[in-house]
């Protein structure tokens, strides 16, 4: 367990293999995704990024001294949204991972990652510690929100297009 309220991707994947596989598959459909970080003044910054599942973890690599890397060094909180793709069919749903991005600076890990990913040095390398994973999809007339938060079981909430209250799958 990392920081309070977060775990490693490997721990999430071990605890929720089916949900983790769905999330990985969704991120794998496209190369570029959207990363939200916090600027120095606390306002949000949205940047394009590639997410990389490797060595049992989720990694974010960034150019040296990029604004998003400096944001994460100052405040590691982030939210990462899988590229929704073209059109409005939500191909596989919206998937979001939020938590902390912890910079990894030990040369052995960075070199191992660079070699495996074919990433030219130098770069900032962050390991994701997810605190929340959410998938929003459509099932018939229902909007289905599946959420996992560190230390809690997965919840599935269904919301119809009418005025009825949301329902939780048991």
């Amino acid at each position: 367990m990392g920081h309070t309220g977060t775990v490693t991707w490997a721990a999430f994947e071990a605890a929720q293999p089916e949900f983790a596989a769905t999330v990985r598959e969704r991120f794998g459909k496209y190369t570029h995704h959207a990363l939200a970080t916090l600027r120095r003044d606390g306002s949000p910054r949205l940047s394009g990024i590639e997410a990389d599942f490797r060595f049992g973890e989720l990694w974010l690599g960034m150019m040296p001294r990029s604004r998003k890397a400096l944001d994460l060094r100052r405040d590691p909180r982030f939210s990462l949204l899988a590229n929704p793709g073209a059109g409005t069919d939500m191909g596989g749903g919206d998937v979001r991972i939020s938590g902390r991005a912890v910079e990894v600076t030990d040369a052995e890990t960075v070199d191992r990652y660079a070699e495996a990913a074919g990433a030219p040095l130098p770069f900032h390398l962050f390991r994701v510690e997810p605190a929340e994973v959410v998938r929003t999809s459509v099932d018939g007339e229902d909007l289905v929100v599946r959420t996992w938060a560190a230390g809690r079981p997965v919840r599935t909430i269904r919301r119809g297009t009418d005025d009825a209250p949301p329902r939780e799958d048991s």
Side-chain angles (χ1 to χ4, degrees), residues 13-143:
E13 200 164 39
Q16 297 293 335
E18 186 183 319
F19 195 15
T22 299
V23 170
R24 284 182 68 143
E25 179 184 332
R26 189 64 190 77
F27 272 97
K29 286 186 177 185
Y30 301 96
T31 302
H32 296 97
H33 308 287
L35 176 72
T37 58
L38 295 168
R39 298 173 190 259
R40 185 180 308 277
D41 69 2
S43 62
R45 182 189 314 274
L46 203 55
S47 309
I49 195 161
E50 295 180 24
D52 190 21
F53 294 89
R54 195 177 296 276
F55 314 130
E57 296 296 347
L58 172 53
W59 304 91
L60 304 174
M62 300 168 204
M63 290 173 40
R65 307 220 21 98
S66 65
R67 297 286 186 197
K68 58 192 165 196
L70 298 178
D71 286 349
L72 290 172
R73 278 183 162 179
R74 192 174 46 255
D75 186 331
R77 293 176 295 169
F78 77 94
S79 197
L80 178 67
L81 179 70
N83 185 324
T88 57
D89 67 354
M90 288 181 67
D94 281 344
V95 172
R96 175 174 46 85
I97 300 169
S98 301
R100 291 166 43 90
V102 178
E103 189 166 17
V104 175
T105 56
D106 74 277
E108 186 178 327
T109 303
V110 173
D111 289 347
R112 178 179 175 225
Y113 179 89
E115 185 177 336
L121 291 163
F123 58 89
H124 296 284
L125 182 62
F126 293 85
R127 188 188 70 248
V128 166
E129 293 182 351
E132 181 185 54
V133 179
V134 179
R135 177 176 183 245
T136 304
S137 59
V138 175
D139 180 15
E141 294 294 309
D142 285 345
L143 184 68

